Amino acid sequence: MTPIAPLLLAILMLAIPVAMSQDAEYWIAQTKSDYSNGSYSLALDDIDQYLKINQSDTWGWNFRANLLIKMQRYEEALESFDMVIALDPSNAQAYNDRALILSGAKNQDEDALASLETALQIDSLNANTWYNKGMILEKIGRYNESLEAYSRATDLDEDLGRAWHR
């Protein structure tokens, strides 16, 4: 009987990742369904269940952050973006989105600018990040620097009408 025990253990060990994968797929489907139905609290519970299974999934953390923004839970959204950044320090979009919360919801404009600078170090060719930098600089009265950032944005994307307007 003892030879059967290691065989059963091996079978169980192989089954665990399959079960976890099915659970993950279930929670993603649930998240999308609840989100589509406007049930944001349920979608948040669902994405949290998914992230318990896939703690290193930057897509899941990013989805969670944007969901929390929609729910106006900005501090938690910042924490989720920080998790994206911890998992992928080269994710310029996470730094950009983090900056928008810091400036818009928290009025931490200098911290927001620092986050945008990091985003621009990673991807200096992103017109939207330059535009966001211009917006924050304008907000804090640094108009010449703001114009430079808007100019950089329009150089990168001449169809970025909002930058031309500013």
Side-chain angles (χ1 to χ4, degrees):
M1 281 212 184
T2 50
I4 295 176
L7 180 60
L8 287 175
L9 181 60
I11 291 170
L12 285 173
M13 295 301 289
L14 290 173
I16 289 173
V18 172
M20 287 180 67
S21 173
Q22 289 171 341
D23 285 347
E25 291 172 17
Y26 168 79
W27 288 115
I28 287 292
Q30 235 6 79
T31 299
K32 291 177 180 179
S33 174
D34 287 337
Y35 182 85
S36 294
N37 292 330
S39 302
Y40 301 138
S41 293
L42 291 175
L44 180 60
D45 292 341
D46 299 335
I47 198 69
D48 284 343
Q49 289 299 320
Y50 171 75
L51 288 168
K52 285 180 184 177
I53 298 167
N54 288 322
Q55 296 173 7
S56 62
D57 184 350
T58 56
W59 176 88
W61 286 106
N62 190 64
F63 184 92
R64 184 179 193 274
N66 285 290
L67 178 59
L68 288 163
I69 291 169
K70 190 172 274 294
M71 298 170 73
Q72 299 181 349
R73 292 168 58 176
Y74 302 114
E75 196 63 41
E76 293 170 88
L78 282 173
E79 292 169 6
S80 292
F81 281 128
D82 287 343
M83 189 59 143
V84 172
I85 291 166
L87 292 168
D88 179 9
S90 67
N91 190 322
Q93 189 65 48
Y95 285 102
N96 178 76
D97 294 347
R98 181 180 183 278
L100 296 178
I101 296 171
L102 287 170
S103 178
K106 311 276 290 166
N107 287 318
Q108 296 175 2
D109 297 317
E110 292 302 325
D111 291 339
L113 285 172
S115 194
L116 287 174
E117 285 302 321
T118 302
L120 289 168
Q121 287 174 3
I122 296 166
D123 180 8
S124 63
L125 302 178
N126 188 311
N128 287 316
T129 305
W130 283 104
Y131 171 79
N132 291 334
K133 182 178 179 181
M135 290 291 295
I136 294 170
L137 289 165
E138 183 179 345
K139 177 183 173 191
I140 61 176
R142 292 166 55 183
Y143 301 114
N144 288 337
E145 292 172 82
S146 176
L147 288 172
E148 290 174 21
Y150 291 139
S151 179
R152 184 75 171 122
T154 57
D155 287 346
L156 292 167
D157 181 358
E158 59 188 39
D159 294 328
L160 193 62
R162 62 183 189 264
W164 285 105
H165 174 76
R166 301 304 299 183

